[in-house]
C-alpha cells in the first residue's frame, strides 16, 4: 500500500474518532442538561366499586400531562416534563390513608391529584398535610375544607351546593316551564358527600315551599332499592332527588321503572355507563354534576372545545364530570409550576393559593379562598338528551334547552 494511501486512511480514522468523541460529548451534555421530570401523584380508585370513576379520572389526567409535555413541559423549569405517578387508592376508605402515606414517602412527589370520592379523599388529607404537599381534588363533602387543612384545593362545589342547585332547578321548572312539582323525595347514601347533598336539598326545598314527603338514607353498597322506591311511590312524590354513586343510581332508576313510578328524577347520573345500562330510558333524566362538556364555557373557547373533542376521539366516550376536573387539576398544578418556577411543594402550595387559573369549569377560572374552596364553582344541572347529559341550567351557561320528557 502506498504511503499516500496509508496517510489518507489515518486521516479518516482521526476524523472519525474526533466525530465520535464530539458526538458522545454532545449526547452527554444533552443528557446532563435535560431536566428531571416533575412527579405528580395520581391517587384514585382503580379497583373495587369506584374503579369506573378512577379510570375516567386517569384518562383526563393523562391527556392533560400529554398536552403539557407536548407543549414544551414547564418552561420556567427548563422544559421539565410532567410525570404522572399512578397509585390505586382502592375503593376502601380504610386503605386510602396507607396509599397516600406510601405515595408521599417518595420525596420527589411535588403534588397530588385525587381521589374521586369524598369517602376516599378524606382519610388521605392528614398525610398531605403532614408532608406539606398540595393536593387538588374535585370531591364535594363539606368536611374536606372545614377542618383547617392548608394543602387541599377543591375545584368543584360543596355537596350542599349541589343539593341546593337541584332543588333550585325544581323552582325553575315550576316558575318557567309550568311544572307542578309540590312534593319531593330525598334518598341519599349515608356518607359525607351524600349527607352534604341532602342537607342542601332540604334547605332549598323548604325555602321554595316544597313538601318533603320521603327522606331516607341507605348504606354504601346497598343493592335492593325496591322497598325504598315503593315507599317513595306511595308518598306521592312528584320529584325524586337521589344522592349517591353511579351503581346505586342505576339500581334506583331501574326499580322505579319496574314499579311504574315515573316522577321527575334529579340525580347525579352523568356517566356513560348509565346510558349503556338503561339506553333511551335515560332521555329526560335530570342530574347535577361538578362539570359538563356541553356549556358555553367550552363551546365558546376553541381550545377547550378541541380538548373535549380529542378526549372523545381518543377514549371513545364523552368527557365526563370526572375526566374534565381531573384534566383541569393537572393543568392547575402545571400553571402554578410555570408561575413559581420551583418544585418545592410549599412554594407550589402558596402559588396555587395566591393565583387564578384558567379552566373549563362552568363559569370560568379557578380561584381558591383561604379554606381551599373554589370561589367560582357553580354546579351544572344536566339532562340526558339522546345518549348524552347536556347542561340545561343555569340557563346562561347552557347550550341545550330543557326538554319535557314527553318530547322524547
Amino acid at each position: 500500500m502506498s504511503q499516500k494511501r496509508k496517510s489518507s486512511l489515518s486521516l479518516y480514522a482521526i476524523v472519525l474518532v474526533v466525530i465520535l468523541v464530539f458526538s458522545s460529548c454532545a449526547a452527554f451534555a444533552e443528557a446532563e442538561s435535560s431536566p428531571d421530570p416533575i412527579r405528580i401523584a395520581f391517587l384514585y380508585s382503580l379497583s373495587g366499586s369506584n374503579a369506573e370513576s378512577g379510570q375516567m379520572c386517569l384518562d383526563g389526567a393523562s391527556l392533560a400531562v400529554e398536552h403539557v409535555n407536548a407543549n414544551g413541559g414547564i418552561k420556567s423549569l427548563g422544559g421539565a416534563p410532567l410525570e404522572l405517578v399512578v397509585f390505586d387508592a382502592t375503593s376502601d376508605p380504610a386503605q386510602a390513608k396507607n396509599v397516600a402515606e406510601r405515595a408521599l414517602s417518595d420525596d420527589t412527589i411535588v403534588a397530588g391529584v385525587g381521589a374521586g370520592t369524598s369517602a376516599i379523599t378524606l382519610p388521605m388529607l392528614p398525610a398531605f398535610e403532614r408532608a406539606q404537599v398540595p393536593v387538588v381534588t374535585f370531591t364535594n363533602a363539606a368536611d374536606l375544607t372545614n377542618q383547617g387543612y392548608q394543602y387541599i384545593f377543591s375545584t368543584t362545589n360543596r355537596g350542599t351546593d349541589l343539593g341546593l342547585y337541584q332543588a333550585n332547578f325544581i323552582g325553575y321548572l315550576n316558575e318557567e316551564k309550568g311544572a307542578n312539582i309540590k312534593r319531593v323525595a330525598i334518598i341519599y347514601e349515608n356518607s359525607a358527600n351524600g349527607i352534604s347533598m341532602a342537607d342542601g336539598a332540604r334547605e332549598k326545598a323548604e325555602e321554595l315551599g316544597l313538601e318533603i314527603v320521603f327522606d331516607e338514607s341507605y348504606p354504601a353498597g346497598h343493592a335492593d332499592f325496591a322497598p325504598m322506591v315503593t315507599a317513595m311511590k306511595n308518598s306521592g312524590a312528584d320529584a325524586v332527588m337521589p344522592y349517591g354513586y353511579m351503581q346505586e343510581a342505576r339500581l334506583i332508576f331501574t326499580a322505579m321503572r319496574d314499579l311504574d313510578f315515573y316522577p321527575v328524577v334529579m340525580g347525579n347520573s352523568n356517566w356513560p355507563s348509565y346510558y349503556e345500562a338503561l339506553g333511551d330510558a335515560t332521555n329526560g333524566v335530570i342530574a347535577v354534576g361538578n362539570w359538563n362538556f356541553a356549556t358555553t364555557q367550552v363551546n365558546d373557547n376553541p381550545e377547550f372545545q378541541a380538548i373535549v373533542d380529542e378526549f372523545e376521539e381518543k377514549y371513545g366516550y364523552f368527557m365526563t364530570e370526572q375526566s374534565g376536573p381531573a384534566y383541569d387539576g393537572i393543568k392547575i398544578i402545571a400553571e402554578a409550576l410555570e408561575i413559581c418556577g420551583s418544585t418545592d411543594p410549599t412554594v407550589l402550595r402558596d402559588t396555587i393559593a395566591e393565583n387564578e387559573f384558567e379552566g373549563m369549569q362552568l363559569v370560568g377560572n379557578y380561584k381558591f379562598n383561604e379554606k381551599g374552596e373554589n370561589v367560582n364553582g357553580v354546579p351544572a344541572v344536566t339532562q340526558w338528551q339522546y345518549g348524552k347529559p347536556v347542561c340545561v341550567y343555569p340557563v346562561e351557561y347552557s347550550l341545550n334547552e330543557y326538554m319535557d320528557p314527553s318530547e322524547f
Side-chain angles (χ1 to χ4, degrees):
M1 181 180 297
S2 69
Q3 186 64 35
K4 184 176 180 181
R5 174 75 169 168
K6 288 181 181 180
S7 298
S8 297
L9 287 175
S10 298
L11 179 59
Y12 292 150
I14 291 170
V15 170
L16 180 60
V17 169
V18 170
I19 290 172
L20 290 174
V21 167
F22 273 101
S23 297
S24 299
C25 289
F28 179 76
E30 183 179 351
E32 283 289 297
S33 64
S34 298
D36 292 332
I38 300 170
R39 292 160 60 82
I40 300 172
F42 173 96
L43 303 105
Y44 286 87
S45 302
L46 295 172
S47 61
S49 59
N50 296 321
E52 182 182 1
S53 171
Q55 185 59 53
M56 289 188 286
C57 295
L58 181 58
D59 291 343
S62 297
L63 185 62
V65 168
E66 181 181 318
H67 285 171
V68 170
N69 291 345
N71 195 40
I74 306 302
K75 299 176 182 64
S76 66
L77 289 167
L82 299 185
E83 178 184 348
L84 203 62
V85 187
V86 178
F87 295 87
D88 179 8
T90 77
S91 297
D92 180 3
Q95 298 298 319
K97 173 177 175 288
N98 295 333
V99 174
E101 290 176 346
R102 185 170 72 253
L104 295 169
S105 67
D106 181 350
D107 61 9
T108 66
I109 297 293
V110 303
V113 289
T117 66
S118 298
I120 301 299
T121 306
L122 281 165
M124 293 184 170
L125 297 184
F128 279 94
E129 203 71 11
R130 284 194 301 272
Q132 296 188 321
V133 172
V135 58
V136 179
T137 182
F138 62 85
T139 48
N140 305 107
D143 285 347
L144 291 165
T145 53
N146 67 7
Q147 300 185 59
Y149 293 125
Q150 297 298 301
Y151 282 81
I152 179 175
F153 296 94
S154 181
T155 61
T156 53
N157 319 92
R158 304 286 56 78
T160 47
D161 297 326
L162 296 176
L164 282 167
Y165 255 72
Q166 280 188 317
N168 201 48
F169 185 67
I170 290 176
Y172 165 78
L173 292 179
N174 284 340
E175 294 172 11
E176 302 294 333
K177 297 296 182 179
N180 189 30
I181 300 169
K182 297 179 179 178
R183 297 170 297 276
V184 298
I186 299 173
I187 177 173
Y188 59 98
E189 183 185 87
N190 188 19
S191 64
N193 191 43
I195 292 168
S196 292
M197 295 180 75
D199 286 344
R202 288 190 202 97
E203 178 183 335
K204 193 63 180 183
E206 291 170 1
E207 180 185 322
L208 293 170
L210 301 172
E211 181 184 0
I212 301 174
V213 293
F214 181 92
D215 189 342
E216 289 190 20
S217 67
Y218 58 85
H222 191 64
D224 183 10
F225 286 94
M228 298 182 80
V229 171
T230 299
M232 285 192 288
K233 181 179 180 180
N234 293 338
S235 74
D238 303 310
V240 174
M241 295 185 285
Y243 304 111
Y245 294 105
M246 191 54 54
Q247 299 87 337
E248 290 81 10
R250 288 193 292 261
L251 292 172
I252 292 169
F253 189 83
T254 300
M256 288 179 181
R257 293 295 171 265
D258 291 344
L259 293 166
D260 293 322
F261 180 37
Y262 298 97
V264 173
V265 179
M266 297 193 60
N268 54 340
S269 45
N270 282 308
W271 296 6
S273 61
Y274 192 67
Y275 182 79
E276 291 169 7
L278 301 171
D280 289 341
T282 61
N283 281 332
V285 172
I286 303 161
V288 65
N290 298 316
W291 187 88
N292 187 253
F293 65 91
T295 67
T296 55
Q297 174 67 4
V298 172
N299 185 75
D300 293 349
N301 186 315
E303 179 186 349
F304 293 167
Q305 188 62 55
I307 291 167
V308 167
D309 292 343
E310 180 184 350
F311 182 93
E312 184 163 3
E313 182 178 353
K314 184 179 181 72
Y315 296 108
Y317 64 95
F318 57 82
M319 203 172 206
T320 67
E321 61 172 340
Q322 284 71 35
S323 308
Y327 182 101
D328 273 357
I330 293 294
K331 291 301 291 288
I332 288 169
I333 293 170
E335 193 172 335
L337 286 164
E338 195 70 75
I339 292 168
C340 70
S342 172
T343 57
D344 183 326
T346 59
V347 174
L348 180 60
R349 179 263 167 215
D350 291 344
T351 304
I352 297 174
E354 294 166 4
N355 288 274
E356 193 165 339
F357 303 93
E358 185 182 46
M360 295 186 289
Q361 67 162 345
L362 204 62
V363 298
N365 291 357
Y366 297 94
K367 176 67 178 174
F368 301 99
N369 63 17
E370 68 281 355
K371 297 170 67 175
E373 297 170 338
N374 175 26
V375 300
N376 293 330
V378 171
V381 177
T382 66
Q383 184 182 42
W384 279 89
Q385 297 181 0
Y386 305 110
K388 290 184 177 180
V390 296
C391 180
V392 294
Y393 186 84
V395 174
E396 60 267 36
Y397 302 114
S398 63
L399 295 176
N400 298 54
E401 291 189 9
Y402 168 79
M403 296 174 63
D404 188 279
S406 63
E407 298 179 44
F408 292 98

